[in-house]
Amino acid sequence: MSTPQRLLVLGTRTFAVEVADLASDIDGIVVAGFVENMERDRVGTSLEGLPIHWIDEVAALAPTHVGVCALSTTHRRRFVDQAAALGLRFATLIHPSARVSRTAHIGEGAIVSAGAILGAHARIGRHAIVNRGALIGHHTAVGDCATLGPGANIGGCCDIGASSYVGIGAIVLDKLTVGHHSLAGAGALLTKPVANHVQ
């Protein structure tokens, strides 16, 4: 049996707790702590009984740990870049209850949560978040650092841009594009393409 990977969760808010809980269901992963990069006074305390580290400590932990970014906003790239510059490698988390096509591709640092379904030839970018029960159709691409909220339903042959956000229960019809850094709100029904930087 291989040695479990020791996981650092980048983030210290409620979504970080959610991601740690998800990771605890995955064989070969042991959650070892959390990392903060904005509020130094949280360092030295604990979350879920595990230590909170300051970002600079990652350099010493990187040889023996992997990370995943658990910021629910699409601005997680800054945190990821900070940790990567300190040598941290990233885990890809796929909950055992997710159904992932054998032809799908999931990028480094991505999170595929409980009950998510990824169709044939779906592509999930680096550090993207596919939340609980999200559905991703065949031949659909989800960009780096994009977020799909719980229950989002993305049709086939869609292109969801980098750092975009598709809210809870939103529906994106087949063959549509959501531009990078754009937002589809909770419960939205998208029947037309969305340009870049649309809020």
Side-chain angles (χ1 to χ4, degrees), residues 113-161:
S113 195
I117 298 176
L118 277 60
H121 299 284
R123 298 186 60 81
I124 307 301
R126 298 174 71 245
H127 309 290
I129 294 172
V130 179
N131 222 312
R132 301 179 311 278
L135 309 175
I136 300 173
H138 62 88
H139 299 88
T140 284
V142 176
D144 293 349
C145 296
T147 299
L148 304 183
N153 188 348
I154 314 300
C157 302
C158 290
D159 188 358
I160 308 301

Side-chain angles (χ1 to χ4, degrees), residues 49-184:
L50 296 169
I52 296 176
H53 303 280
W54 184 244
I55 182 64
D56 293 344
E57 297 174 52
V58 166
L61 296 168
T64 55
H65 292 71
V66 293
V68 70
C69 191
L71 296 187
S72 57
T73 73
T74 55
H75 300 289
R76 69 185 70 97
R77 185 176 297 278
R78 177 175 176 266
F79 208 167
V80 165
D81 289 347
Q82 280 183 293
L86 295 169
L88 190 66
R89 296 165 296 117
F90 293 94
T92 299
L93 302 184
I94 303 171
H95 193 271
S97 69
R99 193 282 173 181
V100 177
S101 167
R102 68 182 183 279
T103 61
H105 173 80
I106 301 173
E108 176 189 56
I111 299 169
V112 179
S113 195
I117 298 176
L118 277 60
H121 299 284
R123 298 186 60 81
I124 307 301
R126 298 174 71 245
H127 309 290
I129 294 172
V130 179
N131 222 312
R132 301 179 311 278
L135 309 175
I136 300 173
H138 62 88
H139 299 88
T140 284
V142 176
D144 293 349
C145 296
T147 299
L148 304 183
N153 188 348
I154 314 300
C157 302
C158 290
D159 188 358
I160 308 301
S163 298
S164 60
Y165 191 98
V166 178
I168 294 172
I171 298 171
V172 181
L173 298 186
D174 289 347
K175 301 180 181 178
L176 292 182
T177 296
V178 175
H180 60 79
H181 296 275
S182 289
L183 169 67

